[in-house]
Amino acid sequence: MTEPSVPSQEPPITATDSSLSGGRLRGAAINVIEVIDDMFKSAVDMNASDIHIEPKVDCVSIRFRVDGKFVPFQRLDLSVKQQLVTRMKILSGLKIDETRLPQDGKATFPTQNQNIDMRVSILPVVFGEKVVIRILKKDQQRLSLKDIGLLGNALEKVEKALHKTYGIILATGPTGSGKSTTLYSVLGTFNPEEVNISTLEDPVEYTMPGVNQSQINADIGFDFPDGLRSLLRQDPDIIMVGEIRDRKTAQLAVESALTGHLVFSTLHTNDAATTVQRLVDMGVEPFLISSSVQVIIAQRLVRRVCPYCRIPIKLEGHTKMAVAQEIGSLVDKDIDQIAFFKAKGCDRCKNLGYKGRIGIYEVLEISPTIQSLILKEGIDSTTIKNQAIKEGMLTLLQDGLVKAALGITTLEEVYRVVGT
């Protein structure tokens, strides 16, 4: 574990804890350093994205976010509460004596194959201080567009846009929907030896060989607009802006695209069609949107059903009718002949029934007809969406149901993420 050189001789602490499997409280003499090391090792082993250390009225709860869902890990006695938080502050270079204000820091955890970077956030709450640790695997294997779940017509539209020499490709969705992974996969389709690829990120989540990656630091005035202006003087061919957050960034991204650059970025919108309205609300003129934006990718993440313990099910009644209505024309079999599955749980998936995640997408291509709709006075997102569907766009729900029909996920998971 990489840490500042601060003396930290925490003695063994008598407390109670519980294992993932049992959930029982048991008395034991534990060392807080060993507890945290075991927590990190277990989180990495389970491929968790976040660790939550939460003070409760009667215990300290530790849980992991695995594939988007919380999994309980341990419950510790309140006597270790302060030692746990202090240890995390030491590891992440934070002020030990500051308990009233939020703090953010970084830590590194070494594993056998690589160092795992951690972003640490500490927030005062009613019963003490809550610690949330985001796990960043910077050397994680890059995924192809197919690997992340782009298939068929959606994949063709994205690949078509990538062959152009200018324009904007946007990945949209809520926090935690895999937008950054999509952008990294898009960048991975290019050879950095043949083109100049530059990024502005907050933070840099994965390092990419041959790509010029810059990390935003708003505290010193290095924000997205200023960074983008500077980056344009670096003779880039391809630009990735981690997120379009304001009017200045949006306008600079559009101008960059119109002056001969491929620009990739993200926005927080619910679906592809409403992204156009979001850009207008940010102050971008409709004629600039229609001229610069090539493709909008809306996405969510669903969990992959474990292939070793999944159970086939037969659709009946309302569920069968709803699925047939959405994807009956998209599959080459009758709904009764398609094998859908439900999750069960086994040792290989740690009894969760799911292992890993995959994206579900709707890809809106800005066709000449949709360009005309954008230019009309009073942009109507519903009209744009309906036109995109006429031109072959699958909705998020349809793409999710197709993946359920392929045995990749479950109907329950698709409806949980997308809704009905």
Side-chain angles (χ1 to χ4, degrees):
M1 180 71 67
T2 301
E3 58 181 278
S5 56
V6 180
S8 58
Q9 299 295 326
E10 295 97 332
I13 302 165
T14 301
T16 58
D17 67 1
S18 65
S19 65
L20 241 176
S21 57
R24 303 185 309 274
L25 290 170
R26 69 179 191 272
I30 60 174
N31 186 297
V32 73
I33 298 176
E34 294 175 353
V35 168
I36 289 179
D37 282 352
D38 179 59
M39 175 186 75
F40 283 149
K41 289 175 183 176
S42 299
V44 172
D45 180 60
M46 294 186 68
N47 200 31
S49 60
D50 302 88
I51 302 170
H52 289 238
I53 303 174
E54 302 167 305
K56 305 291 186 182
V57 66
D58 57 349
C59 69
V60 178
S61 168
I62 301 177
R63 55 182 179 159
F64 302 154
R65 189 183 290 277
V66 180
D67 295 335
K69 299 282 284 185
F70 277 115
V71 176
F73 176 63
Q74 285 184 326
R75 286 186 299 146
L76 305 176
D77 190 82
L78 285 175
S79 63
V80 303
K81 177 176 66 174
Q82 193 55 50
Q83 289 92 332
L84 280 173
V85 176
T86 298
R87 180 63 180 170
M88 284 308 309
K89 287 179 179 179
I90 291 172
L91 294 176
S92 48
L94 301 178
K95 297 178 181 178
I96 297 174
D97 57 349
E98 179 57 75
T99 60
R100 299 171 301 169
L101 295 174
Q103 296 190 71
D104 296 309
K106 298 177 182 178
T108 301
F109 179 70
T111 67
Q112 186 175 0
N113 300 320
Q114 61 178 318
N115 288 333
I116 306 297
D117 286 350
M118 313 274 188
R119 276 191 300 170
V120 180
S121 172
I122 298 179
L123 180 72
V125 294
V126 173
F127 298 112
E129 292 175 279
K130 177 179 177 179
V131 182
V132 175
I133 304 158
R134 168 62 56 88
I135 300 173
L136 303 173
K137 298 180 181 178
K138 289 201 171 186
D139 298 325
Q140 184 167 297
Q141 182 180 2
R142 199 181 313 130
L143 300 174
S144 70
L145 296 176
K146 289 183 179 179
D147 290 334
I148 64 174
L150 279 166
L151 306 172
N153 189 35
L155 177 60
E156 290 176 5
K157 289 178 179 178
V158 173
E159 290 179 334
K160 176 183 174 182
L162 294 179
H163 281 93
K164 297 186 177 182
T165 56
Y166 74 95
I168 300 178
I169 295 178
L170 292 171
T172 71
T175 301
S177 59
K179 300 186 296 296
S180 295
T181 300
T182 296
L183 293 189
Y184 283 120
S185 298
V186 166
L187 287 181
T189 64
F190 296 93
N191 182 353
E193 297 298 322
E194 297 177 354
V195 290
N196 180 14
I197 305 174
S198 298
T199 75
L200 292 171
E201 306 174 57
D202 185 20
V204 174
E205 295 190 18
Y206 308 113
T207 53
M208 301 185 69
V211 176
N212 307 294
Q213 296 176 266
S214 299
Q215 182 157 312
I216 292 301
N217 188 344
D219 292 339
I220 61 173
F222 184 40
D223 55 15
F224 279 116
D226 289 337
L228 188 49
R229 288 190 190 95
S230 298
L231 193 152
L232 288 170
R233 293 191 284 271
Q234 292 283 311
D235 186 31
D237 298 299
I238 297 169
I239 300 169
M240 186 184 93
V241 181
E243 183 182 345
I244 294 177
R245 297 177 178 173
D246 51 48
R247 179 178 181 176
K248 286 184 179 179
T249 309
Q251 290 180 330
L252 283 169
V254 167
E255 291 171 9
S256 302
L258 292 176
T259 53
H261 304 89
L262 265 179
V263 180
F264 309 135
S265 192
T266 70
L267 270 174
H268 289 279
T269 57
N270 290 326
D271 60 19
T274 56
T275 303
V276 175
Q277 184 62 58
R278 175 76 177 121
L279 289 171
V280 172
D281 292 342
M282 281 185 164
V284 182
E285 293 291 342
F287 75 91
L288 293 176
I289 297 172
S290 65
S291 302
S292 62
V293 179
Q294 302 287 348
V295 160
I296 301 171
I297 308 167
Q299 63 183 88
R300 301 289 189 277
L301 291 176
V302 294
R303 293 178 294 171
R304 292 177 180 267
V305 66
C306 177
Y308 300 102
C309 61
R310 63 186 184 181
I311 301 172
I313 59 173
K314 183 178 178 61
L315 302 189
E316 297 178 343
H318 174 73
T319 300
K320 177 182 173 181
M321 291 176 59
V323 172
Q325 182 177 355
E326 290 290 342
I327 65 169
S329 61
L330 304 176
V331 293
D332 56 4
K333 295 181 181 178
D334 186 89
I335 294 297
D336 286 325
Q337 297 177 314
I338 297 175
F340 289 89
F341 298 91
K342 70 175 182 179
K344 181 184 177 184
C346 64
D347 290 341
R348 299 200 191 200
C349 61
K350 301 189 183 298
N351 292 311
L352 298 175
Y354 298 90
K355 189 172 180 64
R357 289 192 288 179
I358 191 170
I360 57 176
Y361 303 90
E362 59 181 38
V363 177
L364 192 161
E365 182 180 34
I366 307 299
S367 66
T369 303
I370 291 178
Q371 283 181 324
S372 299
L373 292 175
I374 293 173
L375 293 172
K376 284 185 177 180
E377 187 174 346
I379 293 174
D380 183 354
S381 298
T382 302
T383 302
I384 292 175
K385 182 173 184 175
N386 290 339
Q387 178 60 33
I389 291 173
K390 288 180 182 178
E391 295 177 4
M393 182 185 81
L394 298 189
T395 65
L396 287 166
L397 178 59
Q398 286 175 321
D399 192 50
L401 294 177
V402 168
K403 288 182 170 72
L406 293 172
I408 298 172
T409 187
T410 65
L411 293 177
E412 180 183 20
E413 180 69 1
V414 173
Y415 285 120
R416 179 186 72 82
V417 171
V418 181
T420 54

